[in-house]
Amino acid sequence: MRPGLAAAAAVIAVVTSIHAAMWISMRPEVSAPNITDRFHSLSFAPFGRDMSPEGEAPTNAAQIRSDIQVVAPYSRGVRTYSSTNGKELIAPIAGEQGIRVTVGAWLNKQTDPKTGEPVLVRDKKTGEMVPVKDGNDREIESAVKIARENRNVEAVVVGNETLLRADLTDAELAETIRRVKRQVNVPVTTGEIWNTWLDHPEVASSVDFIYAHILPYWEDVPADKVVDFTINAYNRLRAAYPGKRIVIGEFGWPSHGYNRGASVPDPLAQAMIIRDFVARADALGIEYNIIEAFDLPKKQNEGSVGQYWGVFDADRDLKFPLSGPIYDHTYNQTTILALLLGVLFTLPLLRMRELTMSQGLVLAGAANGVAAWLALVVDYWLNHYVTGGDYVTLALSVVMLVPLVFVLLYRIEEMAAIAFGSGPRRLIDAQKAVVPAVPTRFPKVSIHVPAYREPPEMLKQTIDALAALEYPNFEAIIIVNNTPDPAMVEPVRAHCATLGERFKFINAEKVAGFKAGALRIALDATAPDAEIIGVIDADYVVTPDWLKELVPVFDDPTVGLVQAPQDHRDADRSLLHEAMNAEYAGFFDIGMVQRNEDDAIVVHGTMCLIRRAAMLEAGNWSSDTICEDTDLGLTIAENGWKTHYTRKRYGYGLLPDSFESFKKQRHRWAYGGFQIIKKHWRKFLPNRSRLTTAQKRHFVLGWISWLGSESVGAVMAIASLAFVPFVLLFGVSVPAHVLTLPILITFLVYLMHFVSLYRLRVETTPLRMLGAAVAASAVQYTVAKAVLDGFRYKDLAFARTAKGNNWLAGAARSFPALPEATLGGLLLLAGIALLVLNNWPGVALTKNDWRHIREINLYGIALMVQSLPFVAAALIGAFEPSRFNQVAFWRAIGAKLAVVPRRLGLTPPPAVAD
């Protein structure tokens, strides 16, 4: 067994054991008093899973009879809330099982308080608009009839929280209660929140007994204080109305949904609270009704918790045991799924050749973390009633989060490889590549320099650097294309003429195919004996040892391409240029180095040397993508040629002139990358090319990590922003924490990845690193737009990147980040608004009376995190034209600060010579 395989097997075993131990140790289990007798009463709404409780009636008596049979072994009575539209059948059917019934009559607002006109509603039987009063009268008449005809009716409840909703006045409700009392021989009351009874003594005096709703969830009471709170509220009512019979008409706790301050819905909390309450109530002789018998998946008028008050779930299964230990009945299945997925996700470690233990532990830990998250998403799906728009929210969230998870794992893998792996071994060691003292062979190199409307002085510097190369056998072809201005052409022609015959100048007009078209012309003009083609951009000044040190790599006949990194010589132009240069360095010193270990580098069209035979086999430069360099490099790799990379800088070019140019360049790269995916995806199928599995993996994950994650990130940000009005205005539920947390975790991993790898691989300062992070994130929108353009447009024109101060003199430049500023500002404001409204409900202007809801806080934070790339672009756009972007400004500040200690006498006097 090879060492890497043994290490991987050991890592999988250790991490899986730790993962299992964590699930076992966190297995929730609580205890509470046993329920030894049946409940006194349960709120009873016989609505099936697909039926709305908001006025919809059971279709027939079969549903009611079936539900009564479910609750009969567990409850001595039931409470109803309405007596029409089929609910009149509940009492006689319950009587068949010996179940007592508290009959409810639902009352609504009768007149519009602004106009005094009767409120109209649609009659569900006739479809006609009728006054609410008629509906209230029908409810009362039906309730009276039920009470008279069924001996198992023990009370009538006239209205439910009617005073709380201000649907009737005290006098109206009291008169209605007295009217019902005159018609029935059972006690009559109304159902109200417990403190409403304290504020309405007139109504209290009209009822036969107090029917109080005590629901601590709505009063922000923590689970461990719920029962004490309820008993205290009951005792306050007894003290306020001595001698009056007090019944707790509603008591319960939701099993799922958002928290409300300290009130946190939870299946175990529900079980513990109800069992504890029933034991206390029975011991104290308190009559009560538990809300409610069944979960109601389509109960939408109570926000996220409305569906989950039932003792039974929507399938009529008891949600918790009434005796013995209380545990999460789906926890074991979730644990098993998490462990199985964890093992599955860590199996690829067995194929890693040189895996270290620490590297393996990080990778296996991350894989098991993702497995646990997926298991929790499945658990959430199975244990929540996902209905209507929730399906769309959950499905879209998962679909968009999956690519982010791949990116997260890819970045963790890169961190682990660099921080804990064996280090790069395939990089070209420049010291070993030096030409021997007595060289045996100098293959001819033809260097091609395409130039499109480039400043002549800049191009002359490029040519002079080529003339200084310490390599005896090369030619240089300078091809100026589609540049009609003689002032940009003739000085370059004349300069080449002074350097001798090895410098060939071509002025090609009306060249089709962008840069690739010009390079094809250069290849046609290449000397027949040239074995290697070198390509540099028109702004690159190469070092004299470029060819001397890298051409010997081609002594291996299987090598098709050698790539050196890009670098720049004008980073000190401004702070923005420093940031851009540091951002480029991250790609060349981190990503390219790691990809090179599996021969999967991304070829970029400058500082590269290509074997002529490999180029011709690949079909020469192609114009069907605007990233002809990466396209050609990938084709060469698909044909089985080896590629090599060196970290050593052999050339220095110029940075984009402005942030706008930086964005245009990134758009071209991303759009070209998308074109390459469309062109080459078939080559990634089995047996369609000579790419290895490792090469395919790097390219696919690289595309997902760059194009996919940036696009998904932008789409998720826009979707999250579009969802905010629905949350604020219509009380629509925000995504659950299992869907929001991955966004925040991905952001944290991105930060860890960026900071750790820059510190380990890139020679830069903390301030430049910060600038690189801002510059990298600022182009998220640009990359996403490029991917969208890839779907919309087959071919976009090649956009030259302005360099070397080559813009029209005096031309006014517009703000380069208006879309990003708009989106970033809206996201940031929306996140702040949600946090403010959630944590200071007194200023809330929404449908919800929020109380520190965890999901809303997470959603608000996620919105603010999602705003960062857009805000970064806006800040750069605003910062770029200011004096704070100028290096000279900060140098002047530094010079002024340097003299302060001397003026204060804090520096020693200069030494005096003897």
Side-chain angles (χ1 to χ4, degrees):
M1 180 182 291
R2 57 181 173 82
L5 183 61
V11 163
I12 293 174
V14 169
V15 173
T16 302
S17 299
I18 294 173
H19 191 193
M22 290 176 64
W23 279 96
I24 293 171
S25 65
M26 293 188 297
R27 184 178 187 271
E29 184 174 310
V30 296
S31 60
N34 296 334
I35 296 178
T36 57
D37 197 359
R38 290 185 294 174
F39 294 113
H40 186 274
S41 177
L42 292 173
S43 294
F44 185 81
F47 299 106
R49 176 184 286 271
D50 298 323
M51 299 178 67
S52 170
E54 299 176 9
E56 188 174 339
T59 55
N60 53 54
Q63 175 77 51
I64 298 173
R65 181 168 284 106
S66 174
D67 287 346
I68 286 292
Q69 290 172 351
V70 171
V71 302
Y74 300 98
S75 182
R76 296 192 294 270
V78 296
R79 175 194 173 182
T80 68
Y81 290 83
S82 174
S83 296
T84 59
N85 297 324
K87 284 83 167 181
E88 65 273 10
L89 300 175
I90 294 174
I93 293 173
E96 297 171 4
Q97 300 289 329
I99 301 296
R100 299 193 304 269
V101 178
T102 299
V103 175
W106 189 268
L107 302 181
N108 286 311
K109 187 188 299 291
Q110 298 182 146
T111 58
D112 189 318
K114 294 182 179 179
T115 65
E117 297 294 323
V119 176
L120 301 179
V121 294
R122 187 174 299 280
D123 187 281
K124 291 182 171 58
K125 290 185 177 180
T126 66
E128 297 178 355
M129 299 301 292
V130 297
V132 168
K133 185 178 185 302
D134 293 350
N136 288 352
D137 288 343
R138 283 200 300 271
E139 280 283 332
I140 292 171
E141 290 169 5
S142 181
V144 168
K145 183 180 180 199
I146 294 168
R148 286 175 173 176
E149 295 179 354
N150 296 276
R151 298 179 61 185
N152 61 321
V153 173
E154 61 179 355
V156 176
V157 180
V158 181
N160 184 69
E161 299 181 359
T162 310
L163 296 176
L164 180 68
R165 297 193 306 274
D167 284 353
L168 297 179
T169 65
D170 290 34
E172 290 171 334
L173 181 58
E175 175 56 32
T176 304
I177 291 169
R178 285 191 285 267
R179 176 156 61 97
V180 174
K181 287 170 65 174
R182 290 193 292 267
Q183 301 179 66
V184 298
N185 295 320
V186 295
V188 180
T189 187
T190 188
E192 289 291 346
I193 299 296
W194 68 275
N195 49 11
T196 302
W197 284 103
L198 297 176
D199 299 332
H200 296 270
E202 179 182 351
V203 175
S205 65
S206 69
V207 300
D208 293 318
F209 63 97
I210 302 294
Y211 205 55
H213 299 172
I214 307 177
L215 298 169
Y217 168 80
W218 296 111
E219 303 195 50
D220 306 355
V221 179
D224 60 343
K225 294 180 172 57
V226 164
V227 177
D228 288 338
F229 177 91
T230 303
I231 301 301
N232 289 336
Y234 174 83
N235 288 332
R236 287 185 63 183
L237 288 171
R238 288 185 61 188
Y241 301 108
K244 199 89 169 182
R245 177 185 168 208
I246 310 292
V247 177
I248 298 179
E250 284 186 358
F251 173 84
W253 194 262
S255 58
H256 291 288
Y258 298 155
N259 69 293
R260 181 182 170 86
S263 299
V264 182
D266 179 76
L268 272 63
Q270 181 191 48
M272 182 177 64
I273 287 169
I274 290 178
R275 281 173 52 170
D276 189 18
F277 168 76
V278 169
R280 296 275 295 276
D282 287 345
L284 296 171
I286 299 174
E287 299 175 82
Y288 63 86
N289 172 74
I290 299 294
I291 182 168
E292 53 196 320
F294 308 116
D295 281 350
L296 300 172
K298 290 201 171 183
K299 186 178 181 181
Q300 304 294 331
N301 63 335
E302 291 183 1
S304 64
V305 297
Q307 304 164 298
Y308 301 105
W309 290 90
V311 174
F312 299 87
D313 63 25
D315 296 321
R316 278 39 182 175
D317 295 322
L318 199 64
K319 289 164 67 175
F320 55 86
L322 302 182
S323 61
I326 303 169
Y327 53 88
D328 184 346
H329 67 281
T330 63
Y331 190 84
N332 290 341
Q333 296 94 305
T334 305
T335 300
I336 292 170
L337 178 61
L339 293 175
L340 289 176
L341 290 175
V343 172
L344 178 66
F345 294 166
T346 51
L347 287 179
L349 296 182
L350 297 174
R351 302 184 62 180
M352 296 183 69
R353 296 186 301 274
E354 298 177 353
L355 182 74
T356 67
M357 286 295 292
S358 53
Q359 180 186 4
L361 289 172
V362 172
L363 295 177
N368 278 268
V370 170
W373 171 70
L374 287 174
L376 290 173
V377 171
V378 172
D379 180 77
Y380 179 88
W381 184 285
L382 296 178
N383 286 287
H384 288 73
Y385 302 115
V386 184
T387 60
D390 292 338
Y391 277 115
V392 178
T393 301
L394 185 58
L396 285 178
S397 297
V398 172
V399 167
M400 287 192 287
L401 284 171
V402 166
L404 290 186
V405 168
F406 276 108
V407 172
L408 181 144
L409 290 175
Y410 186 62
R411 286 175 173 164
I412 290 176
E413 177 187 350
E414 196 169 45
M415 279 194 294
I418 293 174
F420 304 110
S422 56
R425 299 186 178 184
R426 199 172 175 273
L427 283 174
I428 298 171
D429 187 340
Q431 298 304 315
K432 294 181 180 179
V434 175
V435 177
V438 183
T440 58
R441 185 170 177 271
F442 293 97
K444 188 166 188 174
V445 179
S446 181
I447 303 170
H448 300 170
V449 186
Y452 169 67
R453 301 190 180 188
E454 303 289 359
E457 293 306 314
M458 179 188 76
L459 195 50
K460 288 180 184 179
Q461 294 180 46
T462 299
I463 296 169
D464 288 342
L466 293 177
L469 282 171
E470 298 171 351
Y471 191 81
N473 193 15
F474 77 92
E475 67 173 4
I477 300 176
I478 316 302
I479 176 166
V480 177
N481 70 96
N482 300 340
T483 305
D485 185 356
M488 302 184 77
V489 176
E490 297 309 321
V492 179
R493 186 199 304 273
H495 192 68
C496 289
T498 65
L499 295 175
E501 61 182 11
R502 68 164 53 181
F503 283 83
K504 302 177 182 179
F505 179 84
I506 301 174
N507 181 23
E509 300 178 356
K510 298 181 180 180
V511 176
F514 314 118
K515 181 179 177 181
L519 287 171
R520 286 196 296 271
I521 294 173
L523 186 62
D524 291 339
T526 297
D529 59 339
E531 299 180 31
I532 298 168
I533 307 299
V535 182
I536 63 170
D537 281 346
D539 58 308
Y540 262 75
V541 173
V542 299
T543 59
D545 54 355
W546 175 38
L547 299 183
K548 179 178 68 176
E549 293 191 353
L550 295 186
V551 169
V553 179
F554 288 93
D555 288 346
D556 179 352
T558 65
V559 173
L561 186 146
V562 175
Q563 179 72 65
Q566 294 183 20
D567 210 332
H568 308 91
R569 61 184 187 273
D570 60 342
D572 59 352
R573 284 169 56 187
S574 70
L575 297 188
L576 174 59
H577 286 83
E578 291 273 14
M580 290 190 294
N581 195 46
E583 193 270 343
Y584 288 127
F587 173 76
F588 293 109
D589 288 340
I590 300 170
M592 286 286 279
V593 172
Q594 291 309 115
R595 295 175 69 111
N596 181 64
E597 292 302 293
D598 289 307
D599 194 4
I601 62 172
V602 176
V603 176
H604 43 94
T606 190
M607 300 307 303
C608 61
L609 299 171
I610 307 171
R611 191 182 295 275
R612 189 176 189 176
M615 177 182 289
L616 294 176
E617 183 184 358
N620 204 337
W621 299 98
S622 173
S623 295
D624 54 5
T625 75
I626 59 174
C627 283
E628 71 293 322
D629 43 11
T630 305
D631 178 26
L632 177 64
L634 180 55
T635 305
I636 288 172
E638 289 168 349
N639 291 335
W641 294 92
K642 292 178 184 176
T643 61
H644 281 283
Y645 181 70
T646 176
R647 280 186 62 184
K648 183 176 178 181
R649 272 58 173 167
Y650 289 98
Y652 300 86
L654 298 176
L655 289 158
D657 279 333
S658 64
F659 181 50
E660 185 176 5
S661 299
F662 181 65
K663 288 175 60 181
K664 286 182 178 179
Q665 182 187 64
R666 196 59 52 98
H667 183 280
R668 184 178 79 241
W669 291 351
Y671 179 80
F674 191 82
Q675 288 180 312
I676 289 169
I677 294 172
K678 292 195 293 185
K679 177 179 178 179
H680 287 263
W681 68 269
R682 293 178 182 83
K683 296 294 183 68
F684 286 75
L685 299 175
N687 303 317
R688 298 295 294 271
S689 73
R690 297 179 67 181
L691 291 174
T692 65
T693 300
Q695 287 175 314
K696 292 177 181 178
R697 181 175 175 276
H698 272 293
F699 280 107
V700 170
L701 288 179
W703 286 327
I704 292 175
S705 179
W706 180 36
L707 302 178
S709 68
E710 300 286 28
S711 302
V712 169
V715 170
M716 287 188 71
I718 295 171
S720 298
L721 180 62
F723 198 65
V724 171
F726 295 95
V727 175
L728 292 174
L729 301 178
F730 306 110
V732 177
S733 299
V734 298
H737 64 278
V738 294
L739 303 176
T740 309
L741 280 174
I743 297 174
L744 303 180
I745 292 172
T746 301
F747 172 69
L748 293 176
V749 170
Y750 172 80
L751 286 181
M752 291 174 57
H753 175 271
F754 194 92
V755 173
S756 62
L757 299 194
Y758 259 73
R759 288 182 63 85
L760 289 170
R761 283 283 174 84
V762 182
E763 295 181 3
T764 188
T765 65
L767 284 177
R768 289 189 177 95
M769 189 195 318
L770 175 62
V774 174
S777 62
V779 290
Q780 182 192 69
Y781 175 83
T782 300
V783 173
K785 184 178 182 301
V787 173
L788 176 62
D789 289 342
F791 284 107
R792 296 167 61 198
Y793 307 115
K794 182 179 179 181
D795 295 301
L796 287 179
F798 183 95
R800 175 189 176 275
T801 303
K803 298 179 181 180
N805 295 311
N806 185 29
W807 61 69
L808 295 176
R813 289 181 292 163
S814 60
F815 183 66
L818 184 58
E820 294 95 323
T822 303
L823 286 170
L826 291 174
L827 283 164
L828 192 60
L829 289 175
I832 293 172
L834 287 177
L835 291 174
V836 170
L837 295 174
N838 188 38
N839 293 284
W840 287 274
V843 300
L845 301 175
T846 69
K847 183 177 180 179
N848 295 318
D849 181 17
W850 291 339
R851 292 287 194 278
H852 306 285
I853 295 174
R854 175 183 57 187
E855 274 78 4
I856 292 177
N857 280 336
L858 288 174
Y859 188 49
I861 294 170
L863 286 170
M864 296 172 71
V865 167
Q866 288 174 303
S867 76
L868 293 179
F870 305 101
V871 171
L875 290 176
I876 290 178
F879 177 79
E880 182 180 15
S882 73
R883 62 176 180 170
F884 301 108
N885 185 35
Q886 304 304 316
V887 175
F889 170 78
W890 294 106
R891 286 176 178 167
I893 295 293
K896 291 179 180 178
L897 293 176
V899 302
V900 172
R902 187 167 66 250
R903 291 180 177 177
L904 296 176
L906 299 178
T907 57
V912 179
D914 292 337

